[in-house]
Amino acid sequence: MILTAKTIVTGDGETVLRGHAVRIDATGKIAEVSPRQALAAAHPEEQILDFGDATILPGLIDMHIHLGSYIHYPDALRFNDHLIAYKALYAAQSALTVGVTTVRDMSSDHLLCEKLRYAGQKGYVTIPRIFHCDRGLTMTGGHGDQITNLKNECEVADGVDEIRKVIRKQLRAGADWIKLMSSHRVMTRPEYTQEELNAAVEETHRLERKCAIHAGVGPSVGMAIEAGFDTIEHATYLTLEQAAEMKRKGLAWIPTIITYTDAYDRYKDADGNPGPDAPLPVRSFWSFFKSAAESYKTNFKAIYDLGVTIAAGTDMVLFGAPPAPVAKELAFMVDYGISPVQAIRLGTHNGAKLLDIENSVGLVKAGLNADLLVCDGDASADIRSLQRVRRVLMSGKTVYRPEAPEC
């Protein structure tokens, strides 16, 4: 099969091809990316799907998602293991409809993502590729412990020895990553001690895995950088000095701009205060949501220009939030100063590299799996064209297409 469109954005942050096509072989891999006429002439037997004034690019990667999260739902008390599983399946399938073909779940109920992934491998369901950390680690009374009784997304671990033991348990249960929670929305109060954070990184790396940390504010970000977590989630008030140290140590930033900015934009009134429809979690931390939105807008481009590795994550857990809106996260990044082609790399290839699957997905490149997104318009010029999905493929197989007739 040959796919062609006016534009191909390869995902490397630079390359835009015009008048080219992608040939997918019988194994679901990209066999060739070449000028359309030459490719069609060399393979006259192949079916050609011409999407016209559209863009072909790699499937998007959401590096921060919570497939099973329901804590902010108005009917949260009615959720049990069965309903959580249905909700996670719905979230995973919804991700495909917005072009997301790989996700990293950053804490859901124990074994939920492991079993959902296995269901996909067995062919029971069609879902994105899943990487997960099983449950996040939190200190007693820390961010995550306050809600542990209502959901099973975090596990309490205090002290160096207990943290090491819980990390081993998580990996035994099939976790691909380890995640720690180190702060809530309080500007000056870190949670885990430096000794505990250092031990978590050392143990995870000793067992040849990677680790992430929820470090939203204040000193917790600096402590996370000192410990050497592979990815730092949120880091809402990341300074240029901290970002420079991240680059030096080879650490990556998952800013999750949309997490706070979307809620602030959606619920603010004309005076910048929470409107009447703002849910309690947003209303309770309104000043944080507002200052977070302003901080990302002010600092993102300067941090990007330092050369820090950045990838896209969404962390959308509020009731009514859109599923896996990576395309909208990338739109914020473009609004804040980078080009659409640069942003697409952050939403594709960079995530693949952090997940150590860059030799399988994340680029439109011969030899990689044909995980592809086709969207209307020229995504190299208009990042919002990513939100106009025409077709989504995983390993060459169509996993989503709108109901409207098309080629």
Side-chain angles (χ1 to χ4, degrees):
M1 180 171 62
I2 295 174
L3 272 60
T4 186
K6 184 176 180 180
T7 304
I8 295 177
V9 179
T10 66
D12 66 1
E14 299 177 355
T15 306
V16 178
L17 304 174
R18 311 289 185 187
H20 278 58
V22 179
R23 184 169 70 87
I24 302 171
D25 68 19
T27 70
K29 292 186 180 296
I30 298 172
E32 191 176 354
V33 182
S34 298
R36 174 187 171 172
Q37 290 184 347
L39 198 57
H43 302 278
E45 76 286 357
E46 294 278 7
Q47 177 190 12
I48 298 177
L49 296 181
D50 186 349
F51 291 93
D53 187 13
T55 301
I56 299 172
L57 65 149
L60 302 176
I61 297 177
D62 193 331
M63 288 292 290
H64 193 128
I65 195 171
H66 296 275
L67 293 170
S69 183
Y70 63 95
I71 184 62
H72 298 302
Y73 285 30
D75 58 347
L77 291 174
R78 297 191 62 181
F79 276 69
N80 61 9
D81 289 348
H82 303 291
L83 193 54
I84 294 167
Y86 287 127
K87 188 271 177 187
L89 174 59
Y90 173 79
Q93 292 174 330
S94 297
L96 291 176
T97 70
V98 291
V100 174
T101 54
T102 301
V103 301
R104 183 182 63 158
D105 188 278
M106 294 306 289
S107 70
S108 288
D109 279 40
H110 180 48
L111 293 178
L112 175 66
C113 290
E114 183 66 18
K115 298 308 179 184
L116 181 57
R117 173 165 63 187
Y118 191 44
Q121 292 170 350
K122 290 180 71 66
Y124 296 161
V125 294
T126 299
I127 55 174
R129 305 175 192 279
I130 294 177
F131 294 80
H132 69 89
C133 68
D134 195 61
R135 292 187 290 181
L137 279 65
T138 178
M139 76 171 198
T140 298
H143 181 50
D145 186 28
Q146 306 101 319
I147 49 180
T148 298
N149 289 334
L150 187 57
K151 63 176 183 176
N152 195 26
E153 292 186 19
C154 290
E155 183 169 358
V156 173
D158 294 311
V160 168
D161 290 342
E162 189 172 1
I163 287 172
R164 290 183 185 274
K165 181 176 181 179
V166 172
I167 287 172
R168 295 169 188 174
K169 287 170 58 180
Q170 299 283 24
L171 296 180
R172 181 184 66 186
D176 306 292
W177 283 66
I178 295 296
K179 180 189 179 185
L180 267 68
M181 314 287 282
S182 74
S183 66
H184 194 28
R185 298 186 184 96
V186 179
M187 290 300 295
T188 59
R189 190 177 69 222
E191 294 183 355
Y192 276 121
T193 67
Q194 191 67 60
E195 180 186 24
E196 289 171 318
L197 297 179
N198 293 347
V201 173
E202 179 186 347
E203 186 67 10
T204 306
H205 288 172
R206 187 182 70 83
L207 297 172
E208 299 181 341
R209 300 296 175 87
K210 289 183 175 181
C211 49
I213 186 166
H214 171 114
V217 296
S220 65
V221 175
M223 295 169 69
I225 295 170
E226 180 177 337
F229 282 84
D230 297 285
T231 67
I232 299 180
E233 314 299 306
H234 315 303
T236 309
Y237 305 98
L238 183 67
T239 67
L240 293 179
E241 292 77 15
Q242 289 172 332
E245 180 65 6
M246 287 181 65
K247 180 185 178 184
R248 187 186 71 80
K249 298 182 75 168
L251 313 181
W253 182 33
I254 316 298
T256 65
I257 298 168
I258 194 171
T259 308
Y260 307 110
T261 306
D262 178 75
Y264 174 67
D265 289 345
R266 194 174 358 151
Y267 294 116
K268 68 180 178 182
D269 63 18
D271 298 319
N273 298 314
D277 296 332
L280 182 60
V282 175
R283 185 178 297 275
S284 299
F285 293 98
W286 183 254
S287 62
F288 180 86
F289 277 74
K290 181 179 180 179
S291 63
E294 293 170 348
S295 178
Y296 286 124
K297 185 176 183 179
T298 301
N299 298 330
F300 177 79
K301 178 61 161 56
I303 293 172
Y304 175 89
D305 287 344
L306 285 176
V308 178
T309 297
I310 303 173
T314 59
D315 190 29
M316 297 294 276
V317 296
L318 293 176
F319 180 70
V326 174
K328 292 184 178 180
E329 174 78 358
L330 301 182
F332 279 120
M333 295 177 177
V334 172
D335 289 344
Y336 297 164
I338 68 174
S339 73
V341 174
Q342 291 169 330
I344 288 170
R345 177 187 172 107
L346 273 53
T348 57
H349 185 55
N350 279 12
K353 290 182 68 176
L354 292 171
L355 294 172
D356 297 316
I357 55 172
E358 69 270 27
N359 292 325
S360 299
V361 300
L363 291 172
V364 182
K365 179 182 176 182
L368 274 61
N369 292 321
D371 283 19
L372 301 172
L373 164 61
V374 183
C375 62
D376 274 329
D378 181 357
S380 71
D382 176 14
I383 194 65
R384 285 172 173 77
S385 68
L386 298 186
Q387 299 174 40
R388 301 190 292 270
V389 175
R390 290 279 299 278
R391 186 168 295 204
V392 182
L393 298 89
M394 288 182 63
S395 294
K397 178 182 178 182
T398 295
V399 292
Y400 174 73
R401 60 184 293 183
E403 294 299 325
E406 63 169 49
C407 59

